[in-house]
Amino acid sequence: MRLPRIFRTTPFRLTLLFLALFAAAASAFLAYIYIATAGEATRRTDREITREMRTLQGAYDRAGVDLLNQALIERAASERPFLYLLMKPDGTRISGSIAESPLDDFKGEPAWTTFQVTDQDLQGHETKHPARGLQERLSGGEILFVGADVGEDEAYVVKVVRALWGAWGLVIVLGLAGGVIVSRNVSRSMGGLNDVVAAVRNGDLAARAQVRGTRDEFDELAEGLNEMLDRLERSMAGHRHAGDAIAHDLRSPLTRLRARLEAAYLDVEAGKGDPQQALAQALDDTDGVLKTFAAVLSIARLQAAGEAPDQTLFDPAELASDISELYEPLCEDKEIDFKAELQKGLTIRGNREFLAQAIANILDNAVKYTPAGGAIMLRVRRRSSGEVEYSVTDTGPGVPEADRERVVERFVRLENSRNEPGSGLGLSLVAAVAEAHHGRLELDEGPGKVGDIGPGLRVALILPRAG
């Protein structure tokens, strides 16, 4: 016969284990209570018997056996809880409240004994009670026995033990009930998590575990599972999106490449074209396709990961200095004034390669659209909020305010940039890098319009402060 599932759960088994340990500990505790209680009752009875024995011995020593006999008769007639027996040296009874000594073999040394005393209740029925006594030989040879009925003491000990055993049984029952309840709750919580795992295994990436709001370990497990599923869903969506984007975004440049190759082939076949020039143009178009592919793949990788990988701590000014050394000669060739203001001693956490690519993209756009005689400024500074800002300001035509949100989308190119080479992915990659570093990208107007040129553009990549 198979047990119900709740009795086969780990929490219920742990409950049984703890109950077994508790039962063993409780049994040892009860045994200690019984021994301690019974021992204390026996010691108290022995002290009272000994005290009574010494009192009677004192009376015997003062006035002999007659006074002792008289004292025993008076005490036996009273309601004192003692049992008395005075005997001659040969063991013959003289007086007392019991007929004979419970000690069969008395050798003269003080001796303790435990025995049963017979009594009659109100209905005349004989009852037996446990008793304990001390027997000693007096200085004149007579034998004196003093005992006490310990039935009430033992009854009290029995009541205490029974109460403790009842409490022990109640705890066991409540422990089993608690184990069932805990096991049921745990099974319910784990059942919900197992349902989510089964749904995900069957392809439902939208399944999520319920967070009960109790802030216990099951809520932590549910939150962790949900976060993992969120990342998994983003990753799968990113991969699907990357595949769709690559297929869609490379279709046009590949189509143009094929058309140019076909036209060049026809021209060469007709004796009109230059094969070397056709190959050079094909290589340029292929490089453009590869750059587009790399940009789309980088964006998809960042969006799928949700966070930039391989982040380290470094000084943003050092990275900007390395990049400025590459672009300063390019600006000189185009007769553009290039300056860099780099605040040193700052620290950011990020992926150095992705951030370098993002800053390079911003500078590429600035160099591309800034006319000769213009200026470009690269800055690294700490904002009052503690954030670190990379900014590039140029004196080119700028971006109209209405288009600043749209220009960071993939393959968006404004009218004034149609004649310039590019795929429209530069700022899209910068925005993806900013988001992957929990930062943001801001586009503002530059220094203003000077003559027919301007108003320029200021592009700022803002990153959170490290830690």
Side-chain angles (χ1 to χ4, degrees), residues 257 261 264 268 274-286:
L257 175 60
L261 288 174
V268 171
D274 184 359
Q276 189 173 359
Q277 182 180 0
L279 288 175
Q281 183 64 47
L283 287 174
D284 289 341
D285 290 343
T286 303

Side-chain angles (χ1 to χ4, degrees), residues 12-88:
F12 188 79
R13 293 176 180 176
L14 289 176
T15 300
L16 292 181
L17 175 61
F18 286 126
L19 279 177
L21 294 176
F22 174 79
S27 299
F29 177 73
L30 290 176
Y32 170 77
I33 292 294
Y34 173 77
I35 294 172
T37 304
E40 178 59 28
T42 301
R43 287 190 294 271
R44 181 171 57 84
T45 301
D46 289 353
R47 285 194 300 269
E48 293 177 354
I49 292 174
T50 302
R51 189 182 302 114
E52 183 72 7
M53 175 67 76
R54 299 297 172 256
T55 301
L56 294 175
Q57 284 179 346
Y60 176 83
D61 292 338
R62 288 193 304 272
V65 69
D66 293 335
L67 181 60
L68 176 59
N69 186 33
Q70 182 180 354
L72 289 182
I73 293 173
E74 292 175 356
R75 290 171 181 262
S78 67
E79 295 182 355
R80 298 178 68 86
F82 293 102
L83 304 173
Y84 304 102
L85 178 61
L86 179 60
M87 295 174 286
K88 295 178 181 180

Side-chain angles (χ1 to χ4, degrees), residues 409-427:
E409 298 177 3
R410 290 186 302 114
F411 300 101
V412 173
R413 306 187 71 195
L414 303 181
E415 292 298 327
N416 59 359
S417 63
R418 291 295 183 183
N419 296 326
E420 296 290 340
S423 60
L425 290 171
L427 289 180

Side-chain angles (χ1 to χ4, degrees), residues 249-262 285 289 292 422:
D249 299 337
L250 295 184
R251 180 178 180 180
S252 296
L254 287 175
T255 301
R256 289 196 301 269
L257 175 60
R258 186 186 185 286
R260 287 179 180 178
L261 288 174
E262 185 177 5
D285 290 343
V289 171
T292 300

Side-chain angles (χ1 to χ4, degrees), residues 246-384:
I246 291 172
H248 179 269
D249 299 337
L250 295 184
R251 180 178 180 180
S252 296
L254 287 175
T255 301
R256 289 196 301 269
L257 175 60
R258 186 186 185 286
R260 287 179 180 178
L261 288 174
E262 185 177 5
Y265 173 76
L266 293 176
D267 289 342
V268 171
E269 190 177 40
K272 300 178 181 179
D274 184 359
Q276 189 173 359
Q277 182 180 0
L279 288 175
Q281 183 64 47
L283 287 174
D284 289 341
D285 290 343
T286 303
D287 289 339
V289 171
L290 291 175
K291 289 181 179 178
T292 300
F293 180 84
V296 172
L297 198 60
S298 297
I299 295 172
R301 178 186 173 191
L302 287 173
Q303 292 176 341
E307 187 175 61
D310 304 327
Q311 297 189 34
T312 59
L313 292 174
F314 61 91
D315 188 342
E318 294 180 0
L319 176 61
S321 177
D322 294 339
I323 296 175
S324 63
E325 291 179 0
L326 298 176
Y327 279 87
E328 190 170 4
L330 185 61
C331 290
E332 289 179 359
D333 293 341
K334 199 175 177 182
E335 298 180 357
I336 296 174
D337 184 20
F338 179 84
K339 291 183 179 180
E341 292 182 359
L342 311 178
Q343 181 180 349
K344 297 183 179 180
L346 305 179
T347 303
I348 61 173
R349 180 184 295 276
N351 183 295
R352 191 182 180 95
E353 295 181 1
F354 278 122
L355 288 174
Q357 181 63 50
I359 299 169
N361 283 9
I362 299 174
L363 286 171
D364 275 337
N365 285 342
V367 173
K368 185 187 301 181
Y369 296 113
T370 300
I376 296 176
M377 172 69 76
L378 171 62
R379 286 190 179 92
V380 173
R381 68 185 182 95
R382 182 196 297 275
R383 288 192 162 194
S384 58

